[in-house]
């Protein structure tokens, strides 16, 4: 099981917005181009969160994973349910569970079932532009996920924006844990329970997933944005297999 960090590991966004990615290349990358790309991504991600994934309503009720509220869902038919008038509050787990059921369904079906044709074309061109600017970071990271192993994503961000990022960056159907409230070590413990009798390897760029991996006695691969073997596209599935062994 490969346990992936998302931001600055599988995708690049924060470092585009801050200019850190371009700065790592000592003038070889145009900072303004990266900033512009990052801002366009940020706009579309937030707009999609609010328009299709109830983010304005549930931002204060972040869950660690999509299935966390399943026990509160009575499986009622939601086809005529009015989510804007049901008086959602923190105490009513059933209403939150309804939203997460819809979110899970949309996540499973993908962006092409949500966006119109023009927005799909815009999304595809933005992905290609971003991939070119980052020297194929996005597509090579995705290629690692397509090998024959299990992938789980743990992010320090909120669950809903992270799911939307997965959709936009073509990381569909990955099970996502949000460590925002519980920390990455707790998420790793849940992952170990979920996949009994498996071996694990953690890939990320931050200290928290490194410490959590050490606590679990799992190998850890450090990703760096500067020109370095441990980055995409330099890092390959063959390299990850080496760390595993």
């Amino acid at each position: 099981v490969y346990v992936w960090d998302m931001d600055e590991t599988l995708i690049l966004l924060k470092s585009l917005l801050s200019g850190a990615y371009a700065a790592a290349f000592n003038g070889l990358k145009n900072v303004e181009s990266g900033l512009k790309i990052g801002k366009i991504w940020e706009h579309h991600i937030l707009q999609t969160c609010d328009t299709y994934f109830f983010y304005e309503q549930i931002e204060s009720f972040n869950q660690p994973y999509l299935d966390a509220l399943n026990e509160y869902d009575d499986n009622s038919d939601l086809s005529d349910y009015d989510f804007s008038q049901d008086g959602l509050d923190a105490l009513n787990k059933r209403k939150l569970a309804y939203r997460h059921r819809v979110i899970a369904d949309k996540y499973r079906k993908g962006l092409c079932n949500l966006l119109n044709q023009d927005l799909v074309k815009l999304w595809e061109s933005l992905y290609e532009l971003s991939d070119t600017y980052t020297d194929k970071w996005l597509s090579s990271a995705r290629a690692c996920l397509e090998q024959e192993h299990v992938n789980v994503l743990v992010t320090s961000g909120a669950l809903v924006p992270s799911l939307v990022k997965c959709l936009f960056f073509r990381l569909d159907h990955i099970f996502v844990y949000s460590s925002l409230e519980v920390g990455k070590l707790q998420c790793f413990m849940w992952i170990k329970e979920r996949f009994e009798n498996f071996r694990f390897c953690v890939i990320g760029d931050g200290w928290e997933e490194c410490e959590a991996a050490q606590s679990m006695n799992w190998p850890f691969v450090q990703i760096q944005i500067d020109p370095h073997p441990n980055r995409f596209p330099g890092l390959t599935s063959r390299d990850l297999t080496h760390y595993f062994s």
Side-chain angles (χ1 to χ4, degrees):
V1 176
Y2 289 105
V3 182
W4 298 86
D5 178 48
M6 182 175 67
D7 292 301
E8 308 310 307
T9 299
L10 288 174
I11 70 170
L12 297 174
L13 184 56
K14 291 179 181 177
S15 61
L16 297 181
L17 289 167
S18 69
Y21 179 79
F25 288 81
N26 297 316
L28 296 176
K29 296 284 183 183
N30 185 291
V31 177
E32 290 302 316
S33 295
L35 183 62
K36 183 178 179 180
I37 291 170
K39 284 184 175 179
I40 297 172
W41 275 123
E42 190 175 50
H43 169 75
H44 286 297
I45 289 166
L46 292 174
Q47 187 176 55
T48 303
C49 285
D50 290 338
T51 304
Y52 300 105
F53 291 87
F54 308 111
Y55 192 51
E56 282 185 310
Q57 296 181 12
I58 66 174
E59 184 176 2
S60 300
F61 312 130
N62 185 61
Q63 300 300 312
Y65 50 91
L66 270 176
D67 300 346
L69 297 170
N70 278 5
E71 63 182 292
Y72 302 101
D73 191 342
D74 59 11
N75 295 309
S76 295
D77 182 4
L78 301 178
S79 54
D80 295 319
Y81 188 86
D82 189 347
F83 286 99
S84 65
Q85 299 294 327
D86 68 345
L88 173 69
D89 60 57
L91 298 176
N92 199 315
K93 298 287 181 65
R94 178 172 52 81
K95 294 174 183 176
L96 268 176
Y98 286 170
R99 285 161 173 79
H100 280 77
R101 193 207 314 170
V102 174
I103 290 168
D105 184 59
K106 290 179 178 178
Y107 182 62
R108 187 166 52 249
K109 290 179 178 177
L111 282 181
C112 288
N113 283 279
L114 295 177
L115 306 181
N116 62 40
Q117 193 171 11
D118 289 340
L119 282 175
V120 169
K121 286 182 179 179
L122 179 63
W123 159 44
E124 290 174 345
S125 63
L126 182 59
Y127 183 93
E128 295 304 324
L129 177 65
S130 306
D131 204 33
T132 300
Y133 179 80
T134 60
D135 304 318
K136 303 294 182 183
W137 183 296
L138 304 178
S139 56
S140 57
R142 187 167 164 245
C144 279
L145 296 175
E146 293 172 347
Q147 304 303 309
E148 292 184 8
H149 45 64
V150 179
N151 298 291
V152 183
L153 194 152
V154 179
T155 173
S156 56
L159 182 64
V160 169
S162 298
L163 293 171
V164 173
K165 284 180 184 178
C166 281
L167 293 175
F168 271 117
F169 286 91
R170 301 180 181 175
L171 306 175
D172 310 45
H173 312 306
I174 301 180
F175 198 89
V176 178
Y177 288 86
S178 168
S179 65
L180 188 60
E181 283 86 17
V182 298
K184 289 190 175 175
L185 180 57
Q186 174 61 70
C187 291
F188 287 9
M189 293 168 68
W190 283 331
I191 292 168
K192 187 177 182 181
E193 289 175 10
R194 186 182 181 93
F195 299 99
E196 292 184 48
N197 303 316
F198 278 69
R199 292 186 301 153
F200 302 86
C201 182
V202 180
I203 306 101
D205 73 305
W207 63 269
E208 189 184 3
E209 56 262 28
C210 179
E211 287 190 351
Q214 289 176 341
S215 296
M216 302 295 290
N217 200 27
W218 294 349
F220 175 73
V221 182
Q222 173 81 39
I223 297 294
Q224 296 172 264
I225 62 171
D226 60 330
H228 190 277
N230 276 11
R231 67 185 293 274
F232 297 107
L235 189 70
T236 67
S237 56
R238 187 174 181 177
D239 299 322
L240 295 177
T241 302
H242 169 74
Y243 280 103
F244 229 151
S245 61

